[in-house]
Amino acid sequence: MSGFIVGLTGGIASGKSEVTRRFEALGIVVADADVAAREVVAPGSPALEQIGRRFGSAMLLADGTLDRARLRGHVFGNDEERQALEAITHPAIRARLRELCETADGPYAIAAIPLLAEAGGRATYPWLDRIVVVDAPESVRHARLRQRDDIDDALATRMIQAQAGRDQRLALADDVIVNDGHPSHLQPQVERLDRLYRQLAAKDARAP
């Protein structure tokens, strides 16, 4: 059981996935918000039932699963409908992440939350003991996005600007992993934080 939970976040193309893989290689369980988002709308789940009632059965496929593309198209550009969907899914996602972390084996667990700043940060996730931000300059992220997704400059810029700003994310950080160079530069940073989190988790476990 992990009583110490670290939130991990970062902007698009900052290298979050690479960082979480390195923590996992050190034996740390990572609960991913994107995975949790799919799990909480699985057939038979309370969230999916609420979506069906709120948005109609047309949002479900013939096999009872969520028609993600249709629902995404329905809420896109409609703040009221988007907020109604988030009111159903976000609490379920947060609860699932917390459950996965608290039941994980290991000295501590990581909740990977790409949109932590957009979701309200610590106010929305008060159970996070520590927050680490994977950070890279916008120019580096822009170049990675263009290469990774094979897109043009304009689209890469729009994708970055659609998220919270770099300063907003860094304002949440207890710790920062800088990912502006070669991937090999990540390992020493991850190992340093792993040692720190193990120490903090042990101290927390001893606290009355």
Side-chain angles (χ1 to χ4, degrees):
M1 303 286 283
S2 295
F4 194 86
I5 303 173
V6 177
L8 183 147
T9 193
I12 189 169
S14 60
K16 298 179 299 296
S17 296
E18 181 62 28
V19 169
T20 57
R21 280 194 292 269
R22 291 171 186 263
F23 275 106
E24 288 173 328
L26 295 172
I28 302 304
V29 172
V30 176
D32 191 303
D34 293 335
V35 175
R38 292 191 292 271
E39 292 179 349
V40 300
V41 294
S45 65
L48 186 61
E49 292 176 8
Q50 292 178 59
I51 289 171
R53 289 196 300 268
R54 173 61 177 79
F55 298 97
S57 59
M59 296 300 167
L60 305 180
L61 296 170
D63 62 359
T65 59
L66 181 64
D67 188 338
R68 296 176 183 278
R70 185 163 190 164
L71 182 59
R72 187 164 52 244
H74 177 75
V75 303
F76 182 78
N78 187 322
D79 288 344
E80 182 178 348
E81 293 294 87
R82 177 181 54 79
Q83 289 167 6
L85 176 62
E86 290 175 350
I88 295 171
T89 58
H90 284 194
I93 293 167
R94 291 194 294 270
R96 178 60 175 157
L97 280 174
R98 187 172 186 177
E99 175 191 18
L100 289 169
C101 288
E102 290 183 342
T103 58
D105 291 328
Y108 66 93
I110 289 176
I113 311 168
L115 300 180
L116 179 58
E118 293 84 347
R122 295 179 189 277
T124 308
Y125 289 86
W127 42 269
L128 295 176
D129 296 292
R130 197 93 174 173
I131 293 175
V132 56
V133 172
V134 183
D135 182 55
E138 184 172 319
S139 59
V140 173
R141 295 165 53 215
H142 190 280
R144 288 174 181 161
L145 260 181
R146 288 201 61 195
Q147 181 178 26
R148 186 190 76 185
D149 294 354
D150 191 23
I151 56 177
D152 61 22
D153 280 336
L155 180 54
T157 298
R158 289 199 300 273
M159 291 171 71
I160 290 173
Q161 292 178 345
Q163 295 188 337
R166 185 182 181 192
D167 289 345
Q168 290 174 268
R169 281 188 297 274
L170 289 174
L172 296 174
D174 296 297
D175 307 293
V176 177
I177 291 178
V178 178
N179 186 25
D180 59 358
H182 193 277
S184 64
H185 300 163
L186 289 177
Q187 193 64 26
Q189 298 181 77
V190 169
E191 290 178 356
R192 176 182 61 80
L193 288 179
D194 176 63
R195 289 192 296 271
L196 172 64
Y197 298 153
R198 288 173 187 269
Q199 292 168 2
L200 292 174
K203 181 178 179 181
D204 186 67
R206 292 193 298 268

